């Protein structure tokens, strides 16, 4: 976020609040190589995610299933190449049925699969050297899918498990779908191609979660959370504009596209075009300058920044005639409530309590190694407790899964009030919404928690609720949907 350079409520000069990336390079930059020659409206349920029951069973390769007969050129015959080939086989089985059913178009399997080692001697794939190419990509020139077994696949598997490898290859085959549909050409922007491919990957994983994939299984709780964490990991950095060559999208936008695909059919993905992307994309354009007087950086959580935060929260959640909650610089016990940290809400006293030291730790730049998530994550946790105060003023219950989702949605509404151009003392900067995604994909999310800290076990559902509020920009839809 950016703290606008003007005198804040404390009377001191304002300073910067910078949303920063988590320091992870976007591994899949330019994953489509071309060579010349919102989920649908549905009644919300605390036990479902996009209409499927929330499950916590096994995710990953199915045991005892014969491997595919597909062959990858250059393969070393190892476990990761076997995983990749099985993934391609399942994705292609899905599209062999789905493309004719939805688009009345035949899906022919890709012509060639290629495995290479980016740490070894470089070869040439799709007119590009593989030396140091930590990547996976679809090449339209020879209709091939290639992947790096030397660094990319091991990193994904070690960090997120085998389904992360499946996710990347499902995305690449989404590009093959685009070319079979004739939906993209040299004039199509990278961000449109990549948002479509993320959406098509969501279509496939819905099929897997429904139990249809021969080689893989996926729970809609922890398993689906890992897929979203993978998209977070391979997001664009905060300094990459959506109009840059090879742009894929920040984490918030990539997860959104995937969720569109998971919740709706392939026809929803095909509707992603330049106008739709520019209307909803949160990633700014390249070189988008901050207004004069603004400073970049990660704002520390201190009295000055918390005062500015209070100003934005009053604008978002203030209600005529309702008493604004008191602020305490400590988290204290509360009658009939399990206190949460680093921020809590006590309905008996209408007080928001803050553990400023812990908020400061959460708000640190993740690159500093203190376990922080960034400034926006810390402020959003505080905002979530004020969202509870607003619900209390409206007479809504403060416990239960509906409350947790309503809280995430209302926190999204607050985020919408501080987008650039709306004049708030705090304004969103590149990377801020990604911090919210990271917080909501964590095992414990305060952004999406009720007054006792309880919440829905699906990170997918948490992010979806936050996006509902951010897209609506007003409280009424949150209060109506999550009941």
């Amino acid at each position: 976020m950016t703290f606008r350079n003007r005198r804040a409520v404390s009377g001191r000069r304002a300073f910067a609040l910078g949303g920063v990336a988590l320091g992870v390079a976007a591994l899949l930059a330019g994953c489509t190589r071309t060579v010349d020659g919102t989920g649908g409206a549905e009644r919300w349920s605390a036990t479902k995610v996009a209409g499927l029951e929330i499950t916590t069973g096994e995710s990953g390769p199915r045991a005892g299933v014969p491997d595919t007969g597909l062959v990858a050129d250059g393969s070393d015959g190892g476990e990761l190449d076997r995983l990749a080939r099985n993934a391609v086989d399942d994705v292609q089985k899905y599209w062999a049925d789905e493309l004719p059913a939805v688009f009345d178009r035949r899906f022919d399997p890709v012509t060639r699969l290629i495995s290479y080692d980016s740490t070894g001697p470089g070869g040439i794939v799709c007119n590009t050297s593989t030396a140091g190419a930590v990547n996976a990509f679809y090449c339209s020139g020879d209709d091939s899918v290639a992947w790096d077994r030397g660094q990319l696949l091991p990193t994904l598997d070690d960090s997120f498990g085998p389904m992360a490898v499946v996710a990347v290859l499902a995305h690449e085959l989404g590009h093959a779908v685009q070319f079979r549909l004739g939906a993209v050409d040299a004039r199509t922007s990278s961000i449109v191609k990549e948002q479509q491919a993320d959406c098509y990957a969501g279509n496939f994983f819905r099929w897997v979660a429904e139990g249809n994939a021969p080689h893989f299984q996926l729970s809609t709780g922890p398993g689906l959370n890992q897929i979203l964490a993978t998209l977070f990991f391979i997001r664009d950095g905060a300094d990459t504009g959506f109009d840059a060559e090879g742009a894929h999208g920040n984490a918030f936008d990539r997860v959104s596209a995937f969720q569109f695909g998971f919740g709706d059919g392939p026809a929803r993905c095909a509707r992603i075009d330049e106008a739709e992307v520019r209307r909803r994309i949160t990633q700014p354009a390249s070189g988008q300058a901050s207004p004069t007087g603004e400073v970049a950086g990660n704002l520390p959580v201190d009295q000055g920044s918390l005062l500015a935060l209070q100003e934005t929260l009053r604008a978002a959640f203030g209600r005529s005639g309702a008493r604004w909650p008191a602020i305490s610089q400590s988290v204290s016990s509360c009658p009939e409530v399990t206190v949460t940290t680093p921020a809590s809400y006590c309905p008996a006293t209408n007080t928001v309590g803050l553990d400023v030291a812990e908020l400061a730790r959460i708000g640190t730049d993740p690159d500093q190694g203190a376990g922080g998530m960034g400034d926006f994550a810390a402020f959003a946790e505080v905002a979530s407790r004020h969202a509870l105060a607003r619900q209390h003023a409206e007479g809504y219950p403060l416990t239960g899964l509906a409350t947790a989702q309503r809280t995430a949605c209302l926190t999204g509404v607050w985020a919408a009030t501080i987008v650039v151009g709306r004049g708030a003392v705090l304004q969103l900067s590149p990377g801020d919404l990604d911090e919210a995604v990271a917080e909501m994909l964590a095992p414990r999310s305060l952004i999406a928690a009720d007054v006792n800290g309880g919440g829905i076990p699906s990170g997918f559902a948490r992010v979806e609720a936050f996006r509902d509020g951010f897209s609506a920009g007003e409280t009424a839809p949150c209060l109506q949907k999550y009941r």
Side-chain angles (χ1 to χ4, degrees):
M1 279 193 304
T2 299
F3 195 166
R4 295 179 64 209
N5 193 9
R6 65 178 179 82
R7 291 191 176 276
V9 289
S10 63
R12 52 183 289 185
R13 192 169 180 79
F15 38 90
L17 177 57
V20 296
L22 296 187
V24 180
L27 296 176
L28 302 184
C31 73
T32 310
R33 298 182 184 272
T34 304
V35 178
D36 293 338
T38 99
E42 181 178 6
R43 186 173 180 84
W44 177 78
S45 168
T47 63
K48 293 185 177 182
V49 53
L52 297 182
E53 292 295 328
I54 297 175
T55 57
T56 58
E58 293 294 324
S59 292
R62 292 186 185 275
V65 178
D67 292 331
T68 177
L70 294 177
V71 175
D73 294 346
S75 174
D76 65 354
E79 178 65 22
L80 288 175
D81 274 350
R82 183 176 72 87
L83 173 67
R85 290 184 293 106
N86 284 336
V88 171
D89 194 29
D90 277 14
V91 177
Q92 294 195 137
K93 278 184 169 63
Y94 169 76
W95 286 114
D97 292 335
E98 203 67 12
L99 211 66
V102 178
F103 301 107
D104 196 25
R105 301 288 286 272
R106 174 175 171 170
F107 181 85
D108 293 318
V110 295
T111 302
R112 187 183 180 202
L113 303 179
I114 304 168
S115 170
Y116 66 88
D117 184 352
S118 64
T119 66
I124 299 297
V125 175
C126 199
N127 291 348
T128 302
S129 172
T130 62
V134 184
N135 211 340
F137 52 87
Y138 169 75
C139 180
S140 64
D142 60 2
D143 190 39
S144 66
V145 170
W147 61 80
D148 165 34
R149 68 172 183 275
Q151 187 171 345
L152 175 63
L153 266 56
T155 298
L156 292 171
D157 186 40
D158 290 345
S159 299
F160 305 104
M163 294 305 280
V165 173
V166 181
V168 166
L169 291 170
H171 171 96
E172 299 312 326
L173 283 157
H175 292 304
V177 170
Q178 292 171 334
F179 279 90
R180 279 151 178 74
L181 291 175
V184 299
D185 56 30
R187 296 169 297 178
T188 307
S189 68
S190 174
I191 192 67
V192 169
K193 293 176 185 177
E194 303 306 335
Q195 287 277 287
Q196 278 192 0
D198 282 338
C199 189
Y200 287 135
N203 297 152
F204 166 73
F205 276 105
R206 173 64 176 245
W207 183 73
V208 178
E210 290 173 338
N212 298 312
H215 292 100
F216 299 96
Q217 55 193 334
L218 179 72
S219 72
T220 54
L224 193 52
N225 289 355
Q226 287 186 319
I227 302 301
L228 300 189
T230 302
L231 292 175
F232 183 93
F233 182 69
I234 57 179
R235 75 199 186 282
D236 287 339
D239 58 347
T240 300
F242 75 82
D243 54 345
E245 181 63 30
H248 284 58
N250 60 24
F252 188 77
D253 295 332
R254 296 199 70 170
V255 167
S256 294
F258 179 92
Q259 289 184 319
F260 295 152
F262 192 92
D264 299 311
R268 170 64 180 91
C269 305
R271 293 198 301 271
I272 295 177
D273 59 14
E274 200 74 38
E276 195 261 6
V277 167
R278 286 180 178 270
R279 184 171 59 251
R280 66 168 170 80
I281 206 81
T282 64
Q283 185 172 357
S286 300
Q288 190 174 70
S290 297
T292 302
E294 292 182 359
V295 186
N298 198 72
L299 181 69
V301 178
D302 58 17
Q303 296 303 315
S305 62
L306 289 173
L307 282 169
L309 174 63
Q310 286 296 313
E311 182 177 327
T312 67
L313 292 170
R314 280 183 178 273
F317 297 137
R319 178 173 172 267
S320 178
R323 185 165 58 95
W324 186 250
I327 309 300
S328 172
Q329 296 298 304
S330 64
V331 176
S332 305
S333 60
C334 178
E336 301 180 356
V337 167
T338 301
V339 173
T340 60
T341 188
S344 68
Y345 175 64
C346 181
T349 60
N350 193 31
T351 300
V352 172
L354 305 178
D355 181 341
V356 178
E358 179 61 11
L359 282 169
R361 186 194 66 79
I362 292 171
T364 58
D365 186 330
D367 288 341
Q368 294 181 7
M373 293 184 181
D375 43 31
F376 184 82
F379 290 122
E381 292 196 344
V382 176
S384 75
R385 303 305 90 183
H386 281 79
L388 286 168
R390 172 61 189 267
Q391 293 173 67
H392 186 54
E394 297 276 0
Y396 284 83
L398 299 185
T399 59
L401 298 181
T403 298
Q405 291 298 94
R406 198 162 54 238
T407 299
C409 186
L410 290 170
T411 305
V413 171
W414 162 73
T417 68
I418 58 173
V419 296
V420 173
R422 296 195 177 180
V425 61
L426 297 180
Q427 297 183 344
L428 292 177
S429 284
D432 282 335
L433 294 179
D434 289 3
E435 294 173 12
V437 172
E439 200 273 359
M440 286 183 283
L441 291 181
R444 170 199 165 278
S445 168
L446 197 61
I447 291 175
D450 69 5
V451 72
N452 294 320
I456 204 163
S458 167
F460 184 107
R462 298 171 191 164
V463 175
E464 189 173 45
F466 180 93
R467 193 180 71 242
D468 282 346
F470 184 81
S471 299
E474 55 181 317
T475 62
C478 299
L479 300 176
Q480 293 165 3
K481 178 176 181 179
Y482 298 103
R483 302 178 70 94

